[in-house]
Amino acid sequence: MSNKHRVEVNQHPFKPESLTDIASHRLAGNQWPLVYVLSNDKSKSAYVGETTDALNRMSTHLKHKDKSKLTTLHLVSSESFNKSATLDIESNLIKYMAADG
């Protein structure tokens, strides 16, 4: 499989100190469309989203009362993603996670 079609899932602690790592991520730092999952294993809660501006979006989520309680960021990215693809992936992840409870 070529690098263009490879899907990466990078995991980071969801805290302000991780914004530097997000900014240096080769796709997230270049405003490429990606999908992300914010999660908290203890509370079994998650939030799924998509963005082309991961750094700004994560900064906003860190200031949000409920989302700031989430502890882990999973960035799902690929050079083959476009805005339409990320919207489809986001929608399907939400459906699958809801079906799984």
Side-chain angles (χ1 to χ4, degrees):
M1 179 180 290
S2 73
N3 279 347
K4 180 179 179 178
H5 299 292
R6 190 176 84 215
V7 175
E8 297 177 19
V9 180
N10 298 96
Q11 185 173 308
H12 304 275
F14 187 55
K15 56 186 181 180
E17 296 81 12
S18 295
L19 293 176
T20 303
D21 293 336
I22 296 165
S24 65
H25 183 278
R26 67 184 184 84
L27 296 176
N30 289 312
Q31 299 201 343
W32 197 260
L34 55 81
V35 177
Y36 61 92
V37 179
L38 300 173
S39 65
N40 184 320
D41 286 344
K42 282 186 180 181
S43 65
K44 302 281 188 219
S45 57
Y47 176 85
V48 178
E50 66 79 31
T51 187
T52 56
D53 191 350
L55 191 59
N56 185 48
R57 196 74 177 123
M58 294 312 115
S59 295
T60 302
H61 286 327
L62 283 164
K63 295 173 189 168
H64 189 274
K65 183 183 108 182
D66 294 327
K67 292 182 187 84
S68 66
K69 295 176 185 171
L70 301 169
T71 58
T72 306
L73 164 65
H74 311 267
L75 291 175
V76 183
S77 61
S78 173
E79 289 180 26
S80 64
F81 284 1
N82 58 41
K83 187 69 172 176
S84 179
T86 58
L87 289 168
D88 286 345
I89 294 166
E90 174 195 33
S91 176
N92 283 316
L93 276 174
I94 291 168
K95 285 184 213 173
Y96 298 149
M97 291 172 83
D100 195 38

